[in-house]
Amino acid sequence: MKTPYKNIYNVLKLNRFIVLAVVVCALLSSTFSVWMAFNTNKNAMNSAFAINTDGSIIPLKLVNQKENFKVEALAHLELFHNYFYNIDASNYEKNLKKALWLGNSSVDNLYRQKKADGVYNRLLQYSLVQKVLSIESQITENNGSYSFTTTTIFEINRGSIIDTYELVSTGNLIMVDRNFPNNPHGLLITNYFENTLKKLSDESRKE
């Protein structure tokens, strides 16, 4: 008895279905693999791990990088302005040396200009005390670069006379390697510039 031949169209339809099913399964499998890799990488970027005493791994959730950067940046700016402007005859050399670690050549150039203008000689000659009262900074991000505007209120004690000043300074911040204790926040001030300096009256200070 002869074996009947299958309908060629039915065979082709079955083959086509099998090929399509294999292609669809391959696409789904590839898509799932890519999604898993992306998700794993995302979780790894936002997490850190520590080894417990018993050898188990403990996941530690990191804070958002931008929020963390802002905290570091504000602390860095406060540290710099305290070192650079909170000075007297006994500590100015030590404080300015620390301040120069926190900025680039723009800070060093300003320091040299002040030195050439006799600012620090007058500090010694008249035993002046320059004390920072407050530091307020605003940080702006633009395409991954960071700029700041800082308002520093400080007073100069001349013995019988105390004058209060408001200084507005600007610049940029870039990330560098941490260098403890010289640069604990891993940031560097660039393009530093003292924009305005004005003497405050008693009325404005009360406000």
Side-chain angles (χ1 to χ4, degrees):
M1 182 177 180
K2 292 184 179 180
T3 302
Y5 290 105
K6 294 183 179 180
N7 189 309
I8 187 65
Y9 294 107
N10 291 335
V11 173
L12 291 175
K13 287 181 180 179
L14 179 61
N15 288 342
R16 185 189 303 170
F17 174 78
I18 294 173
V19 171
L20 288 176
V22 171
V23 171
V24 171
C25 289
L27 288 174
L28 290 175
S29 178
S30 299
T31 302
F32 180 75
S33 298
V34 171
W35 178 81
M36 283 295 294
F38 174 79
N39 195 46
T40 301
N41 181 68
K42 183 179 179 181
N43 290 334
M45 290 295 290
N46 292 324
S47 301
F49 300 90
I51 306 299
N52 202 356
T53 54
D54 60 0
S56 60
I57 298 177
I58 306 172
L60 302 174
K61 198 71 176 178
L62 296 178
V63 296
N64 182 275
Q65 289 185 356
K66 287 187 178 180
E67 291 179 354
N68 188 57
F69 178 87
K70 185 176 181 180
V71 172
E72 295 269 12
L74 290 174
H76 185 86
L77 292 171
E78 183 170 356
L79 190 64
F80 167 76
H81 285 84
N82 263 313
Y83 281 147
F84 203 73
Y85 299 103
N86 200 71
I87 54 177
D88 57 42
S90 64
N91 69 9
Y92 83 97
E93 289 184 333
K94 178 181 65 177
N95 280 8
L96 291 173
K97 184 178 179 181
K98 292 179 179 179
L100 292 176
W101 275 95
L102 307 178
N104 71 346
S105 59
S106 62
V107 174
D108 183 64
N109 290 338
L110 178 61
Y111 159 71
R112 293 177 183 275
Q113 182 62 47
K114 287 178 177 289
K115 188 175 182 179
D117 291 341
V119 172
Y120 306 120
N121 284 336
R122 287 193 294 273
L123 197 74
L124 292 172
Q125 183 178 358
Y126 301 107
S127 298
L128 303 179
V129 176
Q130 185 169 293
K131 181 181 179 182
V132 171
L133 302 178
S134 67
I135 300 170
E136 294 185 5
S137 298
Q138 298 292 329
I139 300 172
T140 305
E141 179 189 3
N142 185 17
N143 296 326
S145 61
Y146 295 88
S147 59
F148 68 87
T149 301
T150 299
T151 301
T152 305
I153 307 295
F154 64 91
E155 64 181 20
I156 298 180
N157 189 326
R158 297 181 171 85
S160 59
I161 301 175
I162 299 178
D163 294 322
T164 304
Y165 297 88
E166 178 188 83
L167 170 70
V168 177
S169 55
T170 58
N172 299 97
L173 286 169
I174 61 174
M175 288 180 282
V176 296
D177 291 336
R178 294 178 190 268
N179 186 337
F180 187 84
N182 297 317
N183 192 334
H185 302 289
L187 295 170
L188 197 69
I189 294 171
T190 64
N191 302 318
Y192 186 68
F193 185 72
E194 293 181 343
N195 291 72
T196 60
L197 175 66
K198 67 178 181 179
K199 184 177 178 181
L200 300 179
S201 62
D202 293 335
E203 289 75 13
S204 61
R205 289 175 60 188
K206 290 178 182 179
E207 292 177 359

